[in-house]
Amino acid sequence: MSKIDSVKKNIEAGKKLVKDIESLEKIRLQFLGKKGQITDLMKGLGELNPEERKSHAEELNNIKNDLNNFISLKSETFDDEELSKQLSSEKLDLTLVSQITEGRIHPITQVIDEVIAIFADLDFCIAEGPEVETDYNNFTALNTSENHPARQMHDTFYVNSKTDEMPNVLRTHTSPVQIRSMLKGKPPFRLIAPGKTFRCDNDQTHTPMFHQVEGLVIDKNSNMGHLKGCLETFLREFFETSSPKMRFRPSHFPFTEPSAEVDIGYKKDGNQIIIGEGDSWLEILGCGMVHPNVLKNVNIDPNEYQGYAFGVGIERLAMLKYGISDLRTFYDNDLRWLKHFGFVPLDIPSISGGLSR
Ligand code: PHE
């Protein structure tokens, strides 16, 4: 048997012994390593006469290529096997609630989820808008002209815009989502828009970033009575009391006429806050009938359509419901606070299952 034939035989025998990455590497070294059997024969080619050299070289190259193919195929299979072994041994069952012992849902997230659950049950859908807004959507389209005093009242954060025109703003309220939603669709509308809002204000009762949920209902006959009924239902569900004490105060917003602010009654009993009783009032929302000019700005005929809007402060709701007395603690990122006031994940609020449990 020629040397080449006996190497071929050795290779076939060697292949049969390959069962893992290590034995594969062994056969590679045995034939293709520095002192491997194929390498040896290659080195010996120089001693042959030109004709033999050519045919032997060709044959050796074929053997070498075959072996290389075998090695790369096998190593892919072994890699796959290794990976699936690893994946199955490191499997984590995320549906096992008991594994989640540390994380907590922030009260703001919880309250937003509760508000969504209530309004979803009242047939509202959810709308969204960006936190960086155009000056037009945040003010002008909402019937707030350029020198309107409400622009100062809002302590706006301005953001550079790409064009030289009006600067963009960090939205000072969620009301611009009214504009975006009405421009995108056709009436009737029945939506809420929860999200972050920003005003340049920082003291015991104000943080520069806070949350609101906007509400908008536009159809042919919704009136102030419907608005009152809607908000009463919401507050009753949210505070889980049969008839929370509330009052409507006449107010002014450029984008609603008439406008009102709603306060909710509460009293303090030691460290406890009792909602819906007592003589203390906390303002929690602004509301009113959508101004005809706003409807005109989004191409809706105010002679045909009308409706109401409201904007609720989420932090205020959370403070009252969960007895959190200092607004600033919401954003201190103190884990002890979060452990105390936070909620267990997967305890998702629902009307039927209970909102806050
Ligand atoms: N956008 C108002 C605010 O932030 C609240 C509001 C919303 C009032 C909708 C009326 C209607 O104060």
Side-chain angles (χ1 to χ4, degrees):
M1 193 176 358
S2 75
K3 279 187 185 167
I4 294 189
D5 283 339
S6 81
V7 168
K8 262 183 168 170
K9 227 177 109 194
N10 291 345
I11 291 179
E12 287 317 308
K15 278 183 180 174
K16 289 201 181 107
L17 298 177
V18 169
K19 52 182 187 327
D20 52 24
I21 275 286
E22 282 81 33
S23 46
L24 188 65
E25 177 61 6
K26 224 159 128 190
I27 156 168
R28 192 188 67 81
L29 286 174
Q30 189 185 346
F31 296 99
L32 300 169
K34 258 191 190 163
K35 292 188 179 141
Q37 294 179 22
I38 296 180
T39 322
D40 265 357
L41 291 181
M42 292 263 196
K43 279 182 196 155
L45 285 176
E47 288 153 24
L48 303 176
N49 67 42
E51 250 163 54
E52 266 184 333
R53 192 188 304 156
K54 196 171 163 231
S55 71
H56 279 211
E58 221 176 276
E59 199 173 352
L60 281 176
N61 265 332
N62 286 341
I63 297 175
K64 193 174 152 184
N65 289 341
D66 272 358
L67 185 57
N68 272 329
N69 283 343
F70 172 82
I71 291 176
S72 63
L73 257 171
K74 274 282 175 199
S75 81
E76 260 176 48
T77 325
F78 291 144
D79 280 352
D80 285 353
E81 281 170 6
E82 184 63 23
L83 185 65
S84 46
K85 222 161 77 192
Q86 202 178 344
L87 284 178
S88 63
S89 70
E90 291 176 2
K91 195 168 72 183
L92 183 65
D93 185 354
L94 294 178
T95 60
L96 279 181
V97 185
S98 60
Q99 288 178 355
I100 307 169
T101 52
E102 286 304 314
R104 285 290 179 277
I105 299 294
H106 194 281
I108 294 296
T109 310
Q110 170 77 15
V111 167
I112 291 176
D113 287 347
E114 291 179 20
V115 170
I116 289 175
I118 296 169
F119 280 106
D121 205 50
L122 297 173
D123 262 355
F124 281 69
C125 64
I126 297 174
E128 277 183 324
E131 287 160 16
V132 177
E133 245 316 347
T134 58
D135 181 275
Y136 179 81
N137 283 344
N138 195 80
F139 292 118
T140 315
L142 288 161
N143 200 32
T144 315
S145 60
E146 217 163 292
N147 38 26
H148 198 287
R151 292 201 184 210
Q152 266 93 59
M153 245 161 55
H154 269 184
D155 302 314
T156 313
F157 284 113
Y158 286 93
V159 181
N160 287 342
S161 69
K162 286 198 186 110
T163 61
D164 293 336
E165 297 157 17
M166 293 295 273
N168 285 329
V169 301
L170 295 186
R171 66 178 179 193
T172 57
H173 49 180
T174 41
S175 301
V177 186
Q178 289 186 32
I179 301 298
R180 287 179 176 269
S181 307
M182 289 194 283
L183 282 174
K184 253 195 298 194
K186 281 205 165 70
F189 295 101
R190 194 171 174 84
L191 57 92
I192 55 165
K196 288 190 170 71
T197 48
F198 307 83
R199 290 181 203 175
C200 187
D201 209 347
N202 201 8
D203 60 33
Q204 215 169 354
T205 50
H206 298 92
T207 49
M209 184 281 295
F210 57 103
H211 296 77
Q212 289 189 337
V213 57
E214 192 78 9
L216 176 72
V217 171
I218 299 290
D219 54 29
K220 293 199 168 162
N221 48 28
S222 279
N223 59 37
M224 200 80 182
H226 297 124
L227 167 63
K228 189 161 180 266
C230 171
L231 292 176
E232 268 172 7
T233 310
F234 164 65
L235 292 175
R236 195 175 55 233
E237 296 278 359
F238 181 78
F239 288 111
E240 298 169 67
T241 62
S242 53
S243 53
K245 201 166 152 185
M246 57 194 281
R247 68 178 183 195
F248 278 67
R249 267 183 300 108
S251 183
H252 173 78
F253 299 102
F255 34 92
T256 47
E257 180 59 38
S259 306
E261 277 172 319
V262 175
D263 300 334
I264 186 136
Y266 71 97
K267 73 174 179 199
K268 275 193 171 165
D269 186 6
N271 259 347
Q272 258 209 314
I273 297 179
I274 299 168
I275 309 291
E277 296 171 25
D279 299 323
S280 303
W281 297 97
L282 191 74
E283 178 200 320
I284 50 167
L285 66 89
C287 61
M289 298 304 294
V290 175
H291 197 292
N293 287 349
V294 174
L295 295 176
K296 279 186 211 153
N297 288 340
V298 293
N299 312 316
I300 293 177
D301 181 0
N303 293 317
E304 198 181 345
Y305 287 100
Q306 61 184 39
Y308 58 84
F310 53 86
V312 194
I314 297 285
E315 279 79 357
R316 299 279 173 94
L317 291 180
M319 289 171 83
L320 279 174
K321 182 163 179 180
Y322 296 115
I324 302 168
S325 54
D326 188 340
L327 176 69
R328 289 171 296 191
T329 56
F330 279 103
Y331 305 111
D332 278 348
N333 287 335
D334 184 336
L335 274 180
R336 293 162 304 179
W337 182 91
L338 191 58
K339 244 199 153 123
H340 180 73
F341 287 110
F343 293 81
V344 179
L346 305 180
D347 246 359
I348 297 161
S350 74
I351 302 280
S352 53
L355 283 179
S356 53
R357 265 173 271 187

Short mmCIF file of all heavy atoms in Angstrom, two decimals, residues 142 153-154 172-176 178 197 199 210 212-216 227 252-261 283 285-290 308-313, ligand 1:
data_model
loop_
_atom_site.label_atom_id
_atom_site.label_comp_id
_atom_site.label_asym_id
_atom_site.label_seq_id
_atom_site.Cartn_x
_atom_site.Cartn_y
_atom_site.Cartn_z
N LEU A 142 -53.95 75.32 20.69
CA LEU A 142 -54.84 75.24 21.85
C LEU A 142 -55.37 76.62 22.23
O LEU A 142 -55.62 76.91 23.41
CB LEU A 142 -54.12 74.57 23.03
CG LEU A 142 -53.89 73.06 22.87
CD1 LEU A 142 -52.80 72.56 23.81
CD2 LEU A 142 -55.18 72.29 23.09
N MET A 153 -47.38 81.72 32.58
CA MET A 153 -47.85 80.93 33.71
C MET A 153 -47.29 79.52 33.67
O MET A 153 -47.07 78.89 34.68
CB MET A 153 -49.38 80.84 33.66
CG MET A 153 -50.07 81.53 34.81
SD MET A 153 -51.77 81.84 34.36
CE MET A 153 -52.37 80.22 33.91
N HIS A 154 -47.05 79.06 32.45
CA HIS A 154 -46.63 77.67 32.29
C HIS A 154 -45.15 77.41 32.53
O HIS A 154 -44.72 76.28 32.52
CB HIS A 154 -47.02 77.16 30.89
CG HIS A 154 -48.37 76.55 30.90
ND1 HIS A 154 -48.91 75.96 29.80
CD2 HIS A 154 -49.29 76.41 31.87
CE1 HIS A 154 -50.11 75.49 30.10
NE2 HIS A 154 -50.36 75.77 31.34
N THR A 172 -45.76 71.33 28.23
CA THR A 172 -46.09 71.79 29.58
C THR A 172 -47.34 71.11 30.10
O THR A 172 -47.69 71.28 31.27
CB THR A 172 -46.30 73.31 29.59
OG1 THR A 172 -47.33 73.63 28.64
CG2 THR A 172 -45.03 74.04 29.19
N HIS A 173 -48.03 70.40 29.23
CA HIS A 173 -49.21 69.63 29.62
C HIS A 173 -49.45 68.55 28.57
O HIS A 173 -48.77 68.55 27.53
CB HIS A 173 -50.45 70.53 29.79
CG HIS A 173 -50.71 71.49 28.65
ND1 HIS A 173 -51.75 72.36 28.63
CD2 HIS A 173 -50.04 71.70 27.48
CE1 HIS A 173 -51.73 73.07 27.51
NE2 HIS A 173 -50.70 72.68 26.81
N THR A 174 -50.39 67.65 28.82
CA THR A 174 -50.65 66.60 27.83
C THR A 174 -51.67 67.07 26.79
O THR A 174 -51.97 66.32 25.84
CB THR A 174 -51.14 65.30 28.51
OG1 THR A 174 -52.06 65.63 29.55
CG2 THR A 174 -49.98 64.52 29.09
N SER A 175 -52.16 68.31 26.92
CA SER A 175 -53.19 68.79 25.98
C SER A 175 -52.77 68.77 24.50
O SER A 175 -53.65 68.58 23.65
CB SER A 175 -53.67 70.17 26.40
OG SER A 175 -54.20 70.13 27.70
N PRO A 176 -51.47 68.97 24.15
CA PRO A 176 -51.15 68.88 22.72
C PRO A 176 -51.51 67.52 22.10
O PRO A 176 -51.67 67.43 20.88
CB PRO A 176 -49.64 69.14 22.66
CG PRO A 176 -49.14 69.06 24.04
CD PRO A 176 -50.29 69.42 24.93
N GLN A 178 -54.30 66.18 22.38
CA GLN A 178 -55.63 66.43 21.81
C GLN A 178 -55.50 66.82 20.35
O GLN A 178 -56.17 66.29 19.46
CB GLN A 178 -56.32 67.62 22.52
CG GLN A 178 -56.77 67.39 23.94
CD GLN A 178 -57.56 68.61 24.44
OE1 GLN A 178 -58.24 69.29 23.67
NE2 GLN A 178 -57.48 68.88 25.73
N THR A 197 -44.90 65.47 31.68
CA THR A 197 -45.03 66.88 31.33
C THR A 197 -43.95 67.65 32.10
O THR A 197 -43.42 67.13 33.08
CB THR A 197 -46.41 67.41 31.72
OG1 THR A 197 -46.68 67.00 33.05
CG2 THR A 197 -47.50 66.86 30.82
N ARG A 199 -42.41 71.53 33.61
CA ARG A 199 -42.47 72.98 33.84
C ARG A 199 -41.31 73.38 34.72
O ARG A 199 -40.90 72.64 35.62
CB ARG A 199 -43.79 73.37 34.53
CG ARG A 199 -44.98 73.23 33.60
CD ARG A 199 -46.28 73.63 34.24
NE ARG A 199 -47.38 72.97 33.54
CZ ARG A 199 -48.65 73.03 33.90
NH1 ARG A 199 -49.00 73.74 34.96
NH2 ARG A 199 -49.58 72.40 33.21
N PHE A 210 -43.39 66.07 35.77
CA PHE A 210 -44.49 65.42 36.47
C PHE A 210 -45.38 64.74 35.44
O PHE A 210 -45.05 64.75 34.25
CB PHE A 210 -45.27 66.43 37.34
CG PHE A 210 -45.82 67.59 36.56
CD1 PHE A 210 -47.18 67.65 36.24
CD2 PHE A 210 -45.01 68.63 36.15
CE1 PHE A 210 -47.69 68.73 35.53
CE2 PHE A 210 -45.52 69.70 35.43
CZ PHE A 210 -46.86 69.75 35.12
N GLN A 212 -49.31 63.77 33.77
CA GLN A 212 -50.73 64.08 33.65
C GLN A 212 -51.40 62.98 32.84
O GLN A 212 -50.74 62.24 32.12
CB GLN A 212 -50.94 65.39 32.87
CG GLN A 212 -50.53 66.64 33.62
CD GLN A 212 -50.96 67.91 32.87
OE1 GLN A 212 -51.16 67.87 31.66
NE2 GLN A 212 -51.08 69.00 33.59
N VAL A 213 -52.72 62.93 32.97
CA VAL A 213 -53.46 62.15 31.98
C VAL A 213 -54.52 63.09 31.41
O VAL A 213 -55.24 63.75 32.13
CB VAL A 213 -54.07 60.85 32.55
CG1 VAL A 213 -54.98 61.10 33.72
CG2 VAL A 213 -54.82 60.09 31.47
N GLU A 214 -54.50 63.16 30.08
CA GLU A 214 -55.44 64.02 29.37
C GLU A 214 -56.66 63.19 29.01
O GLU A 214 -56.54 61.99 28.77
CB GLU A 214 -54.76 64.49 28.07
CG GLU A 214 -55.47 65.60 27.36
CD GLU A 214 -55.20 66.94 28.03
OE1 GLU A 214 -54.34 67.01 28.92
OE2 GLU A 214 -55.87 67.92 27.65
N GLY A 215 -57.81 63.82 28.99
CA GLY A 215 -59.00 63.12 28.50
C GLY A 215 -59.66 63.98 27.44
O GLY A 215 -59.65 65.21 27.54
N LEU A 216 -60.22 63.36 26.41
CA LEU A 216 -60.89 64.12 25.36
C LEU A 216 -62.08 63.32 24.84
O LEU A 216 -61.95 62.16 24.49
CB LEU A 216 -59.92 64.40 24.21
CG LEU A 216 -60.54 65.12 23.00
CD1 LEU A 216 -60.85 66.58 23.32
CD2 LEU A 216 -59.62 65.04 21.79
N LEU A 227 -69.48 65.54 31.32
CA LEU A 227 -68.13 65.73 31.87
C LEU A 227 -68.14 65.44 33.37
O LEU A 227 -67.30 64.70 33.89
CB LEU A 227 -67.65 67.16 31.59
CG LEU A 227 -66.41 67.63 32.36
CD1 LEU A 227 -65.19 66.79 32.00
CD2 LEU A 227 -66.10 69.10 32.05
N HIS A 252 -60.23 79.17 34.38
CA HIS A 252 -60.02 79.59 33.00
C HIS A 252 -58.88 78.81 32.35
O HIS A 252 -57.79 78.69 32.92
CB HIS A 252 -59.70 81.07 32.91
CG HIS A 252 -59.32 81.47 31.52
ND1 HIS A 252 -60.27 81.66 30.53
CD2 HIS A 252 -58.11 81.63 30.94
CE1 HIS A 252 -59.64 81.95 29.40
NE2 HIS A 252 -58.34 81.93 29.62
N PHE A 253 -59.16 78.23 31.21
CA PHE A 253 -58.11 77.71 30.34
C PHE A 253 -58.42 78.23 28.94
O PHE A 253 -59.60 78.28 28.56
CB PHE A 253 -58.12 76.16 30.31
CG PHE A 253 -57.88 75.54 31.65
CD1 PHE A 253 -58.95 75.02 32.39
CD2 PHE A 253 -56.60 75.47 32.19
CE1 PHE A 253 -58.74 74.45 33.63
CE2 PHE A 253 -56.38 74.90 33.44
CZ PHE A 253 -57.45 74.39 34.17
N PRO A 254 -57.39 78.61 28.18
CA PRO A 254 -57.67 79.17 26.85
C PRO A 254 -58.36 78.16 25.93
O PRO A 254 -59.09 78.55 25.03
CB PRO A 254 -56.27 79.50 26.30
CG PRO A 254 -55.35 79.49 27.46
CD PRO A 254 -55.95 78.58 28.49
N PHE A 255 -58.15 76.87 26.18
CA PHE A 255 -58.64 75.86 25.24
C PHE A 255 -59.97 75.26 25.65
O PHE A 255 -60.47 74.34 25.00
CB PHE A 255 -57.60 74.76 25.04
CG PHE A 255 -56.78 74.46 26.27
CD1 PHE A 255 -57.19 73.49 27.17
CD2 PHE A 255 -55.63 75.19 26.55
CE1 PHE A 255 -56.45 73.23 28.31
CE2 PHE A 255 -54.89 74.94 27.69
CZ PHE A 255 -55.28 73.97 28.58
N THR A 256 -60.56 75.73 26.77
CA THR A 256 -61.91 75.25 27.14
C THR A 256 -62.79 76.43 27.52
O THR A 256 -62.31 77.45 28.03
CB THR A 256 -61.86 74.25 28.33
OG1 THR A 256 -61.03 74.80 29.35
CG2 THR A 256 -61.35 72.91 27.91
N GLU A 257 -64.08 76.31 27.26
CA GLU A 257 -65.04 77.34 27.63
C GLU A 257 -66.43 76.72 27.74
O GLU A 257 -66.93 76.20 26.75
CB GLU A 257 -65.03 78.46 26.58
CG GLU A 257 -65.98 79.58 26.86
CD GLU A 257 -65.73 80.28 28.20
OE1 GLU A 257 -64.54 80.45 28.57
OE2 GLU A 257 -66.71 80.62 28.88
N PRO A 258 -67.08 76.66 28.90
CA PRO A 258 -66.53 77.11 30.19
C PRO A 258 -65.46 76.15 30.72
O PRO A 258 -65.35 75.02 30.24
CB PRO A 258 -67.77 77.09 31.09
CG PRO A 258 -68.69 76.09 30.46
CD PRO A 258 -68.43 76.15 28.99
N SER A 259 -64.71 76.63 31.72
CA SER A 259 -63.64 75.83 32.31
C SER A 259 -63.86 75.67 33.81
O SER A 259 -64.50 76.52 34.43
CB SER A 259 -62.28 76.51 32.12
OG SER A 259 -62.05 76.82 30.76
N ALA A 260 -63.34 74.60 34.34
CA ALA A 260 -63.45 74.39 35.79
C ALA A 260 -62.22 73.67 36.31
O ALA A 260 -61.51 73.00 35.55
CB ALA A 260 -64.70 73.58 36.11
N GLU A 261 -61.98 73.85 37.60
CA GLU A 261 -60.97 73.03 38.26
C GLU A 261 -61.70 72.18 39.28
O GLU A 261 -62.71 72.60 39.85
CB GLU A 261 -59.92 73.91 38.94
CG GLU A 261 -58.85 74.35 37.95
CD GLU A 261 -57.90 75.38 38.52
OE1 GLU A 261 -58.36 76.29 39.23
OE2 GLU A 261 -56.71 75.26 38.24
N GLU A 283 -56.41 70.41 44.74
CA GLU A 283 -56.79 70.52 43.34
C GLU A 283 -56.16 69.36 42.58
O GLU A 283 -54.95 69.13 42.71
CB GLU A 283 -56.26 71.85 42.81
CG GLU A 283 -56.54 72.08 41.36
CD GLU A 283 -55.60 73.13 40.79
OE1 GLU A 283 -55.34 74.14 41.49
OE2 GLU A 283 -55.12 72.92 39.68
N LEU A 285 -57.46 68.38 39.14
CA LEU A 285 -57.60 68.39 37.68
C LEU A 285 -58.23 69.67 37.16
O LEU A 285 -58.90 70.39 37.88
CB LEU A 285 -58.38 67.17 37.20
CG LEU A 285 -59.86 66.97 37.55
CD1 LEU A 285 -60.77 67.62 36.51
CD2 LEU A 285 -60.16 65.49 37.63
N GLY A 286 -57.97 69.92 35.87
CA GLY A 286 -58.60 71.02 35.16
C GLY A 286 -59.44 70.43 34.05
O GLY A 286 -59.12 69.37 33.51
N CYS A 287 -60.54 71.11 33.71
CA CYS A 287 -61.40 70.54 32.69
C CYS A 287 -62.30 71.61 32.06
O CYS A 287 -62.27 72.77 32.48
CB CYS A 287 -62.27 69.44 33.29
SG CYS A 287 -63.36 70.04 34.60
N GLY A 288 -63.09 71.22 31.09
CA GLY A 288 -64.02 72.17 30.48
C GLY A 288 -64.52 71.66 29.15
O GLY A 288 -64.16 70.56 28.70
N MET A 289 -65.39 72.48 28.52
CA MET A 289 -65.88 72.15 27.19
C MET A 289 -64.87 72.66 26.16
O MET A 289 -64.43 73.82 26.24
CB MET A 289 -67.24 72.81 26.94
CG MET A 289 -68.34 72.36 27.89
SD MET A 289 -68.59 70.58 27.88
CE MET A 289 -69.21 70.32 26.23
N VAL A 290 -64.50 71.83 25.22
CA VAL A 290 -63.46 72.19 24.24
C VAL A 290 -63.86 73.47 23.49
O VAL A 290 -64.99 73.59 22.98
CB VAL A 290 -63.21 71.03 23.25
CG1 VAL A 290 -62.22 71.45 22.16
CG2 VAL A 290 -62.69 69.81 24.00
N TYR A 308 -65.87 67.57 25.60
CA TYR A 308 -65.15 68.03 26.80
C TYR A 308 -63.74 67.47 26.87
O TYR A 308 -63.41 66.51 26.17
CB TYR A 308 -65.94 67.71 28.07
CG TYR A 308 -66.26 66.25 28.29
CD1 TYR A 308 -65.34 65.39 28.89
CD2 TYR A 308 -67.52 65.73 27.94
CE1 TYR A 308 -65.65 64.06 29.12
CE2 TYR A 308 -67.83 64.39 28.17
CZ TYR A 308 -66.89 63.56 28.77
OH TYR A 308 -67.20 62.25 28.99
N ALA A 309 -62.92 68.14 27.70
CA ALA A 309 -61.55 67.68 27.90
C ALA A 309 -61.20 67.86 29.37
O ALA A 309 -61.80 68.68 30.06
CB ALA A 309 -60.58 68.49 27.04
N PHE A 310 -60.24 67.07 29.82
CA PHE A 310 -59.75 67.24 31.19
C PHE A 310 -58.29 66.84 31.28
O PHE A 310 -57.79 66.09 30.44
CB PHE A 310 -60.61 66.45 32.19
CG PHE A 310 -60.77 64.99 31.86
CD1 PHE A 310 -59.82 64.06 32.26
CD2 PHE A 310 -61.86 64.55 31.13
CE1 PHE A 310 -59.97 62.72 31.95
CE2 PHE A 310 -62.02 63.20 30.82
CZ PHE A 310 -61.08 62.28 31.22
N GLY A 311 -57.60 67.38 32.28
CA GLY A 311 -56.21 67.03 32.51
C GLY A 311 -56.00 66.80 34.00
O GLY A 311 -56.27 67.67 34.81
N VAL A 312 -55.58 65.56 34.34
CA VAL A 312 -55.46 65.18 35.75
C VAL A 312 -53.99 65.05 36.13
O VAL A 312 -53.20 64.50 35.36
CB VAL A 312 -56.14 63.82 36.02
CG1 VAL A 312 -56.32 63.58 37.51
CG2 VAL A 312 -57.46 63.72 35.29
N GLY A 313 -53.63 65.54 37.32
CA GLY A 313 -52.25 65.37 37.81
C GLY A 313 -52.09 64.01 38.46
O GLY A 313 -52.74 63.69 39.44
N1 PHE B 1 -53.86 71.34 30.38
C1 PHE B 1 -54.39 71.89 31.61
C2 PHE B 1 -53.26 72.05 32.62
O1 PHE B 1 -52.24 71.46 32.47
C3 PHE B 1 -55.46 70.99 32.17
C4 PHE B 1 -56.66 70.89 31.29
C5 PHE B 1 -56.76 69.90 30.36
C6 PHE B 1 -57.69 71.80 31.43
C7 PHE B 1 -57.89 69.81 29.54
C8 PHE B 1 -58.79 71.74 30.65
C9 PHE B 1 -58.90 70.74 29.70
O2 PHE B 1 -53.38 72.73 33.59
#
